Amino acid sequence: MNLVHGLHARNLRGDIFGGITAAVVALPLALAFGVASGAGAMAGLYGAIFVGFFAALFGGTPSQISGPTGPMTVVMALIITKYAHDPAMAFTVVMMGGAFQILFGVLRFGSYINLMPFPVISGFMSGIGCIIIILQIGPLLGVATPEGGTLGVLKHLPDIAARMHWDAAAVGIGALAVVLLMPARLGRILPAPLVALIAGTLAVLFFLPKVPVLGDIPTGLPPMHLPSFTLAALPEMIESALILALLGAIDSLLTSLIADSVTRTHHDSNRELIGQGIGNTIAGLFGGIPGAGATMRTVVNVRAGGTTPISGMLHAAILLAIVLGLGPFASHIPHAVLAGILFKVGIDIVDWPYLRRVPRAPRAGVILMFLVLGLTVFVDLIVAVTVGMIAASLLFVKRMSDLQLSHVKSNQDGDGGGVTLTAAESAILARHPRDILFFELAGALSFGGAKGLTRRIVADAGVKVLVLDLSGVLFVDTSASLALEEIIVRTKESGAAVLLVGLRPDVEKTLHRLGVLRFIANDHVFAERAAALEHAERTVADWMPADAYQPHHAAGQTPGQLSGPSH
């Protein structure tokens, strides 16, 4: 396996243009995310540099540009707040999160992360977008963000409005207007966030000196942050690291899917997790905030011609060169300008396409999406994802249960229950409508439908033979197997015989291992349905004395029209 996925120099010109363009777009966003995280503007740039370089070098999506993103910044802000007494512990959490991502990749969890239901992802990402928007209301208007997270901001909105700094609000709203209204054709030449950053900074520098700015910012390479933790804090640190790792994995792999659709290629999910993990581990080691695959920067890179990891590594190298001499300029950047840029980021993160489909979308999915969105904004990120996944799983199990039971068909249902029988097989059942109970099962039988099976398959009084046709059953789990055992035992206790038909090798193996087949005689297991029904007819005939036996007849037929059972 090559060290770097997709690396080659055949597209060097396109990769250079892509890397430069991505760096120009990444610069104002990295500064804004750094400030929003609470770690500082330069921490955002360090994150963009280290995550961007190493995720490109070792990742599995050649055209992807990685760096700080909105969702990761929201989580990092919570971590910075939690460990404000020891910032080194916060960056240790970032390192741990990167290590978890590497572990996810090594254990090949990439394909499983992609299985998260869309309403959960949509609600979570929209919730993150709402959090960013709410938290930037204060800085956008020149007021410090109140404590208490989103609820604190919403509670203090009247106070924020009363204390609004008019000059800062004008600059912030102006920056927001630039990123919202700048024509796309101009954005391809000079990215809107960079235009807003430069214009807002120059306006404050020359005309509005009282607007709050970032202030002194160190330049040069960052110092190394060695891991720091205490045994008492370790469980909480692990929990925070897992949140970072899972969120970064989801964020990156979603961007990888978008990159695939734009470039018509296929990424390596597990390799991408390893690359992101290495990047985040090193970012934490040098005081950078965590990052993930960034959708907008990736699309910009591809449109500018970048298709290999060279573009991602070059974008990071350009940012590093800027960092070495950026301090004097960056110190004059207004907080309100960065808030305006982040406000637009929050708007973009909200899943508007799905929200527009809400009136037509399935109600269960819509309820799930809004549940996750509300929990994300007002409770906790990990609670939102956990509850969302549990609710989605229960909903899936319920739907699968209904689907499984819809495949259970009986000859005693109306119009024959839709069972698939030959003419000869139908004739046997028609002769014995109350003596032989036939059930046809299909698909996968799992725990979701186990209880329903025992309620559905009931041998009423007078039934002498129960025939279970399992030839269409592809899979049976433990719960469904034990449900079949309960049906068999209960039927035999009522005095009726039970015949099994068409056991596939895997199904037979499971039933045998669980001891279900010990309740069935060997001569009551049949490969063909016709043979089982013929045996059932002979069993019914043997049930009563020969001189008392009168087979039931189908409507409109006389005994002379039917051939009696052989004795």
Side-chain angles (χ1 to χ4, degrees):
M1 185 171 69
N2 295 329
L3 178 64
V4 184
H5 182 65
L7 179 64
H8 57 76
R10 295 189 298 273
N11 188 51
L12 189 58
R13 182 173 180 274
D15 288 330
I16 290 174
F17 281 121
I20 293 172
T21 306
V24 171
V25 174
L27 175 61
L29 294 175
L31 291 169
F33 286 133
V35 173
S37 72
M42 296 308 288
L45 278 175
Y46 295 148
I49 292 166
F50 292 113
V51 178
F53 185 86
F54 289 102
L57 180 62
F58 296 108
T61 312
S63 60
Q64 182 147 285
I65 302 296
S66 300
T69 64
M72 297 293 276
T73 301
V74 169
V75 177
M76 188 60 186
L78 297 175
I79 293 172
I80 289 288
T81 301
K82 185 181 294 184
Y83 301 106
H85 62 285
D86 186 357
M89 292 178 70
F91 292 110
T92 301
V93 170
V94 177
M95 297 180 225
M96 293 167 64
F100 277 126
Q101 287 183 319
I102 295 172
L103 183 62
F104 293 165
V106 171
L107 296 178
R108 310 191 67 79
F109 283 179
S111 56
Y112 294 100
I113 291 173
N114 283 332
L115 295 177
M116 182 172 288
F118 181 82
V120 175
I121 295 174
S122 176
F124 185 72
M125 298 307 289
S126 293
I128 291 290
C130 292
I131 290 174
I132 292 174
I133 292 170
I134 293 170
L135 293 182
Q136 294 309 311
I137 292 175
L140 185 72
L141 302 178
V143 180
T145 301
E147 295 183 356
T150 54
L151 290 174
V153 173
L154 295 175
K155 179 181 178 181
H156 290 88
L157 278 179
D159 183 55
I160 292 173
R163 295 190 297 115
M164 180 172 58
H165 190 298
W166 289 97
D167 288 349
V171 172
I173 294 173
L176 178 59
V178 170
V179 293
L180 281 174
L181 304 176
M182 185 170 170
R185 63 179 183 278
L186 296 179
R188 287 192 287 268
I189 301 172
L190 199 60
L194 186 63
V195 173
L197 182 71
I198 294 173
T201 301
L202 292 177
V204 169
L205 188 61
F206 292 106
F207 304 107
L208 302 168
K210 294 184 179 180
V211 172
V213 296
L214 296 183
D216 292 337
I217 293 179
T219 58
L221 295 175
M224 185 177 292
H225 292 256
L226 295 177
S228 173
F229 63 90
T230 63
L231 291 179
L234 192 57
E236 277 195 345
M237 293 176 70
I238 291 174
E239 179 183 337
S240 299
L242 277 171
I243 296 173
L244 272 181
L246 288 170
L247 182 56
I250 295 168
D251 206 1
S252 296
L253 295 184
L254 286 176
T255 302
S256 295
L257 291 175
I258 293 172
D260 286 350
S261 67
V262 174
T263 60
R264 297 182 180 179
T265 58
H266 298 284
H267 72 280
D268 185 333
S269 296
N270 296 304
R271 188 163 190 162
E272 182 62 32
L273 291 180
I274 293 173
Q276 294 290 336
I278 293 172
N280 280 312
T281 302
I282 296 176
L285 190 62
F286 287 96
I289 66 174
T295 302
M296 184 173 72
R297 279 158 273 177
T298 298
V299 173
V300 164
N301 173 50
V302 173
R303 288 178 176 170
T307 59
T308 83
I310 290 176
S311 58
M313 292 187 288
L314 179 61
H315 129 274
I318 292 171
L319 290 178
L320 177 60
I322 293 174
V323 162
L324 297 179
L326 184 68
F329 171 77
S331 63
H332 298 290
I333 296 175
H335 285 284
V337 168
L338 296 180
I341 294 171
L342 283 179
F343 209 92
K344 173 61 163 58
V345 171
I347 293 173
D348 289 340
I349 290 176
V350 173
D351 190 0
W352 299 109
Y354 186 77
L355 289 176
R356 284 192 288 269
R357 291 188 176 98
V358 162
R360 305 183 304 276
R363 182 168 297 180
V366 171
I367 293 173
L368 179 61
M369 186 275 289
F370 279 113
L371 172 65
V372 174
L373 191 159
L375 291 173
T376 300
V377 175
F378 299 113
V379 182
D380 182 74
L381 300 176
I382 194 65
V383 170
V385 173
T386 302
V387 171
M389 287 299 294
I390 292 173
S393 299
L394 292 175
L395 181 62
F396 175 77
V397 169
K398 177 63 170 63
R399 287 174 174 168
M400 288 301 100
S401 172
D402 294 341
L403 183 61
Q404 289 171 33
L405 295 179
S406 71
H407 290 158
V408 179
K409 302 172 183 178
S410 170
N411 65 306
Q412 294 189 354
D413 294 337
D415 297 325
V419 294
T420 55
L421 299 170
T422 65
E425 293 164 353
S426 297
I428 294 174
L429 293 176
R431 290 195 291 269
H432 310 283
R434 292 188 296 275
D435 296 324
I436 301 176
L437 180 58
F438 175 86
F439 275 96
E440 181 181 74
L441 289 75
L445 301 182
S446 65
F447 66 95
K451 185 60 68 176
L453 279 178
T454 59
R455 290 195 298 265
R456 177 78 172 83
I457 304 177
V458 177
D460 296 328
V463 170
K464 297 175 177 59
V465 183
L466 170 64
V467 180
L468 298 178
D469 184 355
L470 305 179
S471 55
V473 175
L474 305 175
F475 165 82
V476 60
D477 70 359
T478 299
S479 298
S481 298
L482 297 179
L484 288 174
E485 178 183 293
E486 182 180 347
I487 292 167
I488 293 168
V489 171
R490 191 175 58 195
T491 302
K492 293 183 72 174
E493 287 176 348
S494 71
V498 180
L499 310 183
L500 298 184
V501 180
L503 293 178
R504 293 172 181 255
D506 289 344
V507 174
E508 183 176 10
K509 185 178 181 181
T510 301
L511 296 178
H512 178 73
R513 282 184 170 179
L514 292 172
V516 177
L517 295 183
R518 74 181 187 274
F519 296 101
I520 302 291
N522 290 335
D523 61 350
H524 283 187
V525 179
F526 298 86
E528 301 294 335
R529 185 168 49 209
L533 289 174
E534 290 169 2
H535 184 93
E537 188 168 42
R538 290 194 296 270
T539 302
V540 172
D542 293 338
W543 194 275
M544 293 178 287
D547 57 354
Y549 173 69
Q550 292 291 333
H552 300 288
H553 307 297
Q557 291 181 313
T558 63
Q561 292 175 295
L562 299 173
S563 58
S566 58
H567 293 282

